[in-house]
């Protein structure tokens, strides 16, 4: 059974803290993605990676960074958490897009910044 | 940024009614997908359409990709309460560096018994 695992379901952090969200996939996928989901806004792409150590900005990268040191792991870093980063964060992975590959998602991390 | 706009944002209907959800963009996508998301879970793929004008059927669900590969629609016939959920369209773009998957804003469907 394919699996994308996010390290935490719920997280509460203080403003200004450095926050790490971890995502691990066991499908040997090249592509990995980080999205945030807010009501009425769907999923907005923060960063994606198509190979180890490779990263590309998505639509809303400000305030975030990522790390991909191993193929199976993609980390999202909030350098200095702010209240407007309170959101649901979703990680996904897929094979390279040829004819439209399926993206598999983790269950999400609901982050609250207080 | 390649935007996907979905409409309507919310839909509340009675069991047995038909409905159509639209997904539009000014950009061309190499393929377009529809996902469904249940509360507390990540989105799960329903279908992928690749060719302009393509129509795919999945039981009571019919998906269409526009001729110009910029838009898509999802039609549900005789909706049932089990169809309740968040429906998301998503488009794949091939870039110089990797492939990007962009999502629309979602349509929240409620089907009342």
């Amino acid at each position: 059974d394919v699996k994308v695992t996010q390290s935490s379901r719920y997280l509460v952090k203080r403003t200004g803290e450095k926050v790490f969200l971890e995502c691990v996939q066991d499908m040997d996928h090249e592509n990995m993605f980080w999205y945030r989901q807010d009501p009425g806004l769907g999923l907005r792409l923060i960063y994606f990676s198509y190979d180890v150590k490779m990263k590309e900005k998505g639509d809303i990268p400000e305030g975030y960074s990522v790390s991909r040191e191993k193929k199976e792991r993609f980390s999202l870093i909030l350098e200095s958490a702010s209240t407007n980063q309170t959101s649901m964060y979703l990680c996904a992975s897929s094979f390279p897009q040829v004819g439209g590959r399926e993206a598999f998602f983790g269950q999400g991390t609901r982050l609250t910044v207080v | 940024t390649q935007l996907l706009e979905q409409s309507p944002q919310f839909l509340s209907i009675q069991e047995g009614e038909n409905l159509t959800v639209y997904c539009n963009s000014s950009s061309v996508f190499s393929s377009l997908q529809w996902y469904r998301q249940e509360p507390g879970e990540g989105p799960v793929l329903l279908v992928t359409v690749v060719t302009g004008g393509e129509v795919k059927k999945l039981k009571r669900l019919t998906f269409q990709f526009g001729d110009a590969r910029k838009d898509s629609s999802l039609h549900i016939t005789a909706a049932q309460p089990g169809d309740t959920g968040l429906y998301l369209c998503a488009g794949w773009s091939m870039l110089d560096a990797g492939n990007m998957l962009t999502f629309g804003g979602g349509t929240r469907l409620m089907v009342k018994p």
Side-chain angles (χ1 to χ4, degrees):
Chain A
D1 208 16
V2 297
K3 218 166 191 180
V4 178
T5 304
Q6 294 183 228
S7 51
S8 306
R9 288 296 298 267
Y10 300 94
L11 216 48
V12 180
K13 295 291 181 181
R14 293 196 179 279
T15 301
E17 275 193 77
K18 191 168 187 175
V19 181
F20 293 86
L21 302 183
E22 306 286 346
C23 176
V24 178
Q25 50 97 2
D26 64 0
M27 295 164 280
D28 203 34
H29 284 163
E30 283 81 2
N31 289 338
M32 294 191 76
F33 306 85
W34 273 107
Y35 296 90
R36 64 177 282 177
Q37 184 172 27
D38 301 288
L41 297 176
L43 275 67
R44 292 182 291 166
L45 182 62
I46 304 171
Y47 269 96
F48 67 100
S49 169
Y50 56 92
D51 202 350
V52 175
K53 295 193 188 296
M54 307 307 290
K55 59 187 178 186
E56 294 292 329
K57 292 179 181 179
D59 296 322
I60 52 163
E62 296 79 19
Y64 304 94
S65 63
V66 290
S67 172
R68 190 155 180 212
E69 296 298 316
K70 293 185 177 181
K71 190 175 186 180
E72 67 270 20
R73 187 179 296 269
F74 192 34
S75 303
L76 179 69
I77 303 151
L78 285 66
E79 298 291 341
S80 177
S82 63
T83 54
N84 63 12
Q85 291 179 309
T86 291
S87 187
M88 170 69 83
Y89 290 87
L90 287 161
C91 173
S93 70
S94 79
F95 287 117
Q97 190 270 146
V98 176
R101 293 297 187 119
E102 179 174 3
F104 294 88
F105 283 82
Q107 289 189 295
T109 296
R110 186 164 292 282
L111 172 67
T112 302
V113 182
V114 298
Chain B
T1 300
Q2 295 180 289
L3 291 174
L4 279 165
E5 294 187 1
Q6 273 186 251
S7 61
Q9 193 173 348
F10 299 100
L11 201 49
S12 179
I13 61 172
Q14 293 294 135
E15 182 176 1
E17 291 184 15
N18 301 333
L19 67 114
T20 302
V21 177
Y22 298 93
C23 178
N24 296 296
S25 176
S26 57
S27 305
V28 175
F29 292 94
S30 59
S31 62
L32 211 137
Q33 298 177 320
W34 286 89
Y35 290 77
R36 181 178 158 187
Q37 186 179 19
E38 304 278 1
E41 303 291 331
V44 176
L45 181 68
L46 293 173
V47 77
T48 300
V49 284
V50 179
T51 307
E54 183 176 2
V55 177
K56 277 192 175 176
K57 289 196 171 188
L58 213 69
K59 297 183 183 177
R60 294 177 293 101
L61 277 60
T62 302
F63 305 86
Q64 186 159 7
F65 201 10
D67 291 340
R69 295 185 11 241
K70 293 181 179 180
D71 54 88
S72 180
S73 62
L74 156 61
H75 182 79
I76 301 179
T77 304
Q80 299 176 0
D83 295 327
T84 293
L86 180 66
Y87 290 82
L88 296 150
C89 67
W92 278 103
S93 307
M94 294 179 69
L95 308 176
D96 291 338
N99 325 122
M100 187 163 72
L101 183 62
T102 305
F103 280 80
T107 295
R108 190 165 295 282
L109 172 65
M110 179 176 292
V111 182
K112 295 181 247 185

